[in-house]
């Protein structure tokens, strides 16, 4: 089923899948496909960068739960619920987020474009790290890929994306998107002997 276009509903579904992966995680210290990150660090990234982005760009302070080191499940729940409450607020579409790199955007659009998309992409990281279902919505993969390709140089220079990983020419759209953002789509968690 395709993801909805409405920012609040899209976040509800994307964050809901990520929440399922958080709840299904049995070890938070396993390596992830992001170099030098564990499963815990995937959650840490999402709960750490976005509050500052909102505070500086829109003057909004999200509720803060426990640290990810203390309780990654509760840290994610409090954070995700706070973002959803903000998106469900009927005044949010009329508010603005202003950032020197992106200009001024409606707040719900900014959340959707920069944060919900990030949660979506990192769902694969957490899923693959923890051996859970890592399938992503193909239509949204295609939409993100189409939006990123024209600004590839800007994205790479930001340091937020790793070098492009080559994938087969006939690869499905999820594999293409993962390669574009610098993930090895064929990454597997090392076994106990490092294999």
């Amino acid at each position: 089923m395709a993801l909805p276009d409405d920012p609040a509903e899209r976040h509800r579904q994307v964050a809901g899948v990520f929440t399922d992966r958080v709840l299904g995680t049995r070890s938070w210290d396993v390596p992830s496909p992001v170099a030098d990150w564990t499963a815990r660090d995937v959650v840490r990234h999402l709960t750490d960068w976005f509050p500052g982005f909102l505070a500086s760009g829109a003057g909004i302070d999200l509720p803060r739960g426990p640290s990810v080191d203390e309780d990654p499940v509760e840290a994610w729940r409090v954070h995700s619920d706070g973002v959803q409450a903000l998106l469900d607020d009927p005044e949010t579409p009329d508010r603005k987020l202003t950032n020197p790199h992106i200009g001024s955007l409606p707040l719900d659009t900014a959340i959707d474009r920069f944060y919900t998309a990030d949660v979506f992409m990192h769902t694969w990281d957490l899923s693959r790290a923890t051996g859970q279902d890592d399938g992503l919505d193909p239509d949204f993969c295609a939409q993100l890929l189409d939006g990123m390709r024209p600004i590839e140089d800007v994205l790479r220079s930001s340091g937020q994306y790793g070098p492009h990983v080559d994938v087969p020419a006939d690869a499905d759209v999820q594999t293409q998107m993962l390669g574009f953002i610098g993930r090895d789509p064929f990454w597997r968690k090392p076994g106990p002997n490092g294999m």
Side-chain angles (χ1 to χ4, degrees), residues 113-190:
R113 188 176 299 171
F114 299 103
Y115 172 74
T116 302
D118 201 39
V119 175
F120 179 81
M121 291 184 278
H122 284 298
T123 297
W124 184 83
D125 296 320
L126 184 60
S127 300
R128 184 58 65 99
T130 57
Q132 300 183 71
D133 178 2
D134 61 15
L136 300 174
D137 180 86
D139 292 336
F140 198 44
C141 286
Q143 183 180 332
L144 291 174
L145 191 56
D146 288 345
M148 291 185 293
R149 279 182 170 143
I151 56 170
E152 180 170 4
D153 291 344
V154 173
L155 295 174
R156 300 258 178 252
S157 66
S158 74
Q160 299 300 310
Y161 294 83
H164 189 279
V165 174
D166 290 332
V167 300
D170 61 350
D172 62 60
V173 70
Q174 175 175 316
T175 301
Q176 291 178 46
M177 186 203 72
L178 291 168
F180 182 91
I181 65 172
R183 298 294 191 279
D184 174 359
F186 309 105
W187 183 91
R188 294 279 179 245
K189 182 172 64 174

Side-chain angles (χ1 to χ4, degrees), residues 13 17 58 67 85 90 104 128-129 138 156 191:
Q13 288 193 26
V17 172
S67 75
S104 186
R128 184 58 65 99
R156 300 258 178 252

